[in-house]
Amino acid sequence: MNKQELVDAVAKEAGLTKADASKALEAFIEVVSKALKKGDEVRVTNFGTFAVTKRAATKGRNPRTGAEIKIPASKQPKFRAGKGLKDAVN
């Protein structure tokens, strides 16, 4: 399912116009992005948790030359599915 199909499904399920569903989805994405940027967690009961984890700096190899390169530390967004979502899938 792509973003447009998600907007269509949300509009149909919630009885909203596609424009309103699109605005709601954009707002959700923006709020979650801002919270993660600040280092906060976003928990949605029975759905899951969005969080940020730190990834340590590592060394890698350039596959073409075999030269060793440094991979800098970074922050990675993560999603952990909640019990309700896991139960719905299984």
Side-chain angles (χ1 to χ4, degrees), residues 46-48 81-88:
N46 285 327
F47 183 70
K83 184 176 180 347
L85 181 58
K86 288 178 187 176
D87 291 345

Side-chain angles (χ1 to χ4, degrees), residues 1 5 17 22-23 33-36 44 46 48 50 63 65 69 74 79-80 84 87:
M1 178 180 283
E5 292 169 340
T17 65
S22 180
K23 287 179 188 176
S33 298
K34 285 181 180 178
L36 293 179
V44 181
N46 285 327
F50 296 91
T65 64
I69 59 172
S74 63
F79 176 76
R80 289 187 313 264
D87 291 345

Side-chain angles (χ1 to χ4, degrees), residues 6-88:
L6 179 60
V7 167
D8 294 344
V10 168
K12 184 178 178 182
E13 188 72 24
L16 300 172
T17 65
K18 289 182 184 180
D20 288 342
S22 180
K23 287 179 188 176
L25 181 59
E26 290 294 331
F28 176 77
I29 292 169
E30 187 67 27
V31 168
V32 170
S33 298
K34 285 181 180 178
L36 293 179
K37 190 173 183 178
K38 289 193 306 185
D40 294 339
E41 251 185 21
V42 178
R43 294 176 187 220
V44 181
T45 305
N46 285 327
F47 183 70
T49 302
F50 296 91
V52 175
T53 59
K54 293 180 183 175
R55 189 173 192 180
T58 60
K59 293 181 182 177
R61 293 215 176 266
N62 181 332
R64 183 172 293 171
T65 64
E68 192 172 272
I69 59 172
K70 283 185 168 181
I71 301 171
S74 63
K75 294 179 182 177
Q76 301 293 315
K78 300 285 183 178
F79 176 76
R80 289 187 313 264
K83 184 176 180 347
L85 181 58
K86 288 178 187 176
D87 291 345

